[in-house]
Amino acid sequence: MTNLSYEEALQSTDMTFSGWDFSYLGNTGRLQEFPLRWNYYQLVEQALRHSGSMLDMGTGGGEFLSRLTKLPAHTCATEGYEPNVEVARQRLEPLGVRVSHITEDEKLPYADGEFDLVINRHESYSPKEVHRILKPGGRFITQQVGGANDQEFNEWLGAPNDEFAHWNLEYAVQELQPYFEIEGRDEEITRSRFFDLGAIVYYLSVIPWQIPDFSVERYEKQLRVLHGQLEQQGYLDTSCHRFVIAARKKG
């Protein structure tokens, strides 16, 4: 228990967010995600052994891509959030990776059949467009955030958000099946554990799709209630909804 006042708890949110890196919270233990049954990094590493070209969709600041042990000679990355694009370029271009800023999933700046492997972690995509840019027999590996993710925040703050309620493994597989053979799939809802109000405010501030109108001022009353619960219990858990699909291009 921290025994901080509400105002003191909010002081710990003054941190610039860069790329797509939550280490500010994770490295200090203020946010912990419970492990999944699968390891996305290992799935990608295994697929890379048979790939001479790869695209990383939604690379963020290039954090994940830069940690892979050996990138193919032809590796590209996309990023839709403009502030991340320069961060990704600074990290990835020295590794020989070309980073493209994209705004439409249906219009990727790549040739038909350009890649052996397309990976996608927590990014939107068009099944038809991914199919187009993959070589015959090419693979698509994606880990997605499901629609039940962090819905407790919406309940606690009284901010309904049903835009992504349908997004789950079954729905995604049905979208992919006209274009791909599904080779593997899994889905799990674990927990994300937050240990202080500042971590929650920081987190909600950098994922605006969860509560689009979020601000400390707008939700002060509800945040004060959460702060009281944190002081009493020591943590708050939310649902961590993830699913993963490995697919191979038909035709």
Side-chain angles (χ1 to χ4, degrees):
M1 295 185 183
T2 59
N3 294 320
L4 293 177
S5 70
Y6 175 78
E7 289 73 19
E8 288 172 329
L10 291 181
Q11 289 176 3
S12 59
T13 65
D14 187 17
M15 175 71 182
T16 301
F17 188 73
S18 176
W20 198 241
D21 185 2
F22 287 92
S23 60
Y24 168 59
L25 300 180
N27 290 348
T28 55
R30 299 171 67 191
L31 165 61
Q32 294 179 359
E33 288 188 356
F34 287 55
L36 298 166
R37 284 191 292 264
W38 63 88
N39 185 302
Y40 177 74
Y41 178 90
Q42 290 182 351
L43 292 174
V44 172
E45 282 280 344
Q46 292 169 6
L48 278 176
R49 298 172 188 170
H50 311 287
S51 303
S53 54
M54 178 179 70
L55 172 67
D56 180 22
M57 299 182 67
T59 197
E63 298 87 0
F64 176 84
L65 193 58
S66 66
R67 289 196 291 264
L68 295 173
T69 54
K70 187 177 181 181
L71 297 178
H74 180 47
T75 299
C76 298
T78 68
E79 176 55 29
Y81 184 51
E82 190 168 3
N84 284 350
V85 175
E86 187 57 33
V87 176
R89 285 174 176 160
Q90 290 179 8
R91 178 177 278 116
L92 296 176
E93 286 185 351
L95 304 178
V97 178
R98 179 167 62 90
V99 179
S100 297
H101 179 214
I102 63 110
T103 56
E104 297 180 73
D105 293 336
E106 295 78 14
K107 295 181 180 179
L108 299 179
Y110 306 110
D112 295 356
E114 185 167 342
F115 300 103
D116 295 312
L117 174 66
V118 173
I119 65 172
N120 177 310
R121 183 174 180 269
H122 305 174
E123 180 64 282
S124 61
Y125 61 87
S126 160
K128 183 178 180 179
E129 185 70 348
V130 173
H131 179 272
R132 180 187 70 79
I133 64 175
L134 275 170
K135 295 178 181 178
R139 300 189 71 204
F140 178 49
I141 298 176
T142 182
Q143 177 176 294
Q144 291 287 306
V145 177
N149 195 67
D150 289 333
Q151 281 301 307
E152 290 82 358
F153 284 132
N154 299 83
E155 296 169 8
W156 293 334
L157 300 187
N161 183 357
D162 298 325
E163 182 179 358
F164 302 106
H166 67 284
W167 189 234
N168 58 25
L169 177 63
E170 181 181 3
Y171 189 95
V173 165
Q174 289 177 355
E175 281 195 331
L176 287 167
Q177 282 179 328
Y179 308 96
F180 294 91
E181 297 290 344
I182 306 300
E183 296 185 321
R185 69 186 86 178
D186 203 352
E187 182 172 34
E188 189 172 16
I189 297 180
T190 62
R191 288 175 287 172
S192 296
R193 179 162 291 181
F194 295 81
F195 288 91
D196 65 86
L197 185 67
I200 290 174
V201 169
Y202 177 86
Y203 182 80
L204 290 176
S205 297
V206 299
I207 56 165
W209 54 86
Q210 191 70 39
I211 301 178
D213 65 347
F214 177 78
S215 71
V216 172
E217 295 74 21
R218 183 182 297 273
Y219 289 97
E220 179 181 357
K221 181 179 178 180
Q222 297 94 321
L223 290 172
R224 286 185 179 274
V225 173
L226 289 187
H227 177 62
Q229 294 174 354
L230 283 162
E231 290 295 288
Q232 182 176 13
Q233 181 172 310
Y235 64 87
L236 288 174
D237 285 348
T238 64
S239 298
C240 182
H241 182 191
R242 301 287 187 269
F243 61 89
V244 65
I245 301 172
R248 190 175 296 277
K249 177 178 176 176
K250 290 182 178 179

